[in-house]
């Protein structure tokens, strides 16, 4: 039994480390922004990271193309009514852990906030908030925040 459990843990860790996405993630984003392929028909979409944001693409070649030209990818996400999500789990306004129910979308990017009072501040400071998210992603482990 221990060997089976250990094998399952190793398999899950390998999937996470490989950058492959799970089925729930693929449902959140409909199309690959590089190829236009429906992600629902792809068994294991690949996670790409550009400019402090993460999104899904069809395959490894698409990931390389996406990471080479992020501006085109964000425009394609916006056209497809999809959005990349920030790597950071911290609100760009207050720095608290985000509430996944509170977000704004603009230009193919979805930005989460910690509370409703941050909504207006985010709308008025969109570019500054994106810079904060990039800095959080570059700083290391953005998920190492206390639970709210």
């Amino acid at each position: 039994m221990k060997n089976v459990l250990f094998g399952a843990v190793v398999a899950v860790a390998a999937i996470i480390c490989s950058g492959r996405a799970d089925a729930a993630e693929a449902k959140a984003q409909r199309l690959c922004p590089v190829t236009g392929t429906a992600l629902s028909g792809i068994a294991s979409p690949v996670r790409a990271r550009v400019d402090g944001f993460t999104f899904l693409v069809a395959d490894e070649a698409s990931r390389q193309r996406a990471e080479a030209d992020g501006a085109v990818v964000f425009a394609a996400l916006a056209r497809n009514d999809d959005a990349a999500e920030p790597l950071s789990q911290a609100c760009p306004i207050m720095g608290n852990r985000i509430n996944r129910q509170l977000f704004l979308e603009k230009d193919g990017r979805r930005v989460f906030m910690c509370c409703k009072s941050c909504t207006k501040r985010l709308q008025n400071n969109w570019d500054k908030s994106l810079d904060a998210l990039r800095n959080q992603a570059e700083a290391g482990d953005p998920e190492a925040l206390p639970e709210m």
Side-chain angles (χ1 to χ4, degrees):
M1 183 66 172
K2 287 181 183 178
N3 289 341
V4 172
L5 182 59
F6 179 76
V9 169
V10 169
V12 169
I15 290 169
I16 291 170
C17 292
S18 72
R20 297 286 178 181
D22 63 18
E25 247 184 313
K27 288 179 184 175
Q29 183 186 324
R30 297 176 315 108
L31 302 174
C32 170
V34 176
T35 64
T37 306
L39 292 171
S40 61
I42 298 172
S44 297
V46 176
R47 190 175 299 108
R49 292 176 176 92
V50 174
D51 207 18
F53 285 80
T54 185
F55 51 91
L56 302 177
V57 293
D59 53 29
E60 184 61 27
S62 296
R63 183 193 63 77
Q64 291 173 0
R65 288 178 32 205
E67 291 177 353
D69 195 355
V72 170
V73 169
F74 291 118
L77 286 165
R79 274 194 315 277
N80 298 338
D81 289 327
D82 285 330
E85 295 192 359
L87 292 169
S88 176
Q89 298 297 302
C91 174
I93 305 297
M94 301 287 288
N96 299 325
R97 183 172 281 292
I98 60 169
N99 177 342
R100 304 265 319 155
Q101 305 303 314
L102 298 172
F103 62 89
L104 293 176
E105 283 185 11
K106 181 178 175 184
D107 301 329
R109 294 169 176 90
R110 177 176 297 145
V111 177
F112 296 92
M113 297 153 286
C114 61
C115 62
K116 289 183 180 181
S117 66
C118 288
T119 303
K120 187 144 184 92
R121 291 174 66 188
L122 177 62
Q123 288 173 327
N124 293 335
N125 297 297
W126 182 259
D127 291 335
K128 194 173 183 178
S129 297
L130 293 182
D131 288 341
L133 290 171
R134 288 182 196 108
N135 292 338
Q136 290 169 3
E138 290 172 7
D141 183 8
E143 294 183 336
L145 295 170
E147 291 291 330
M148 288 184 76

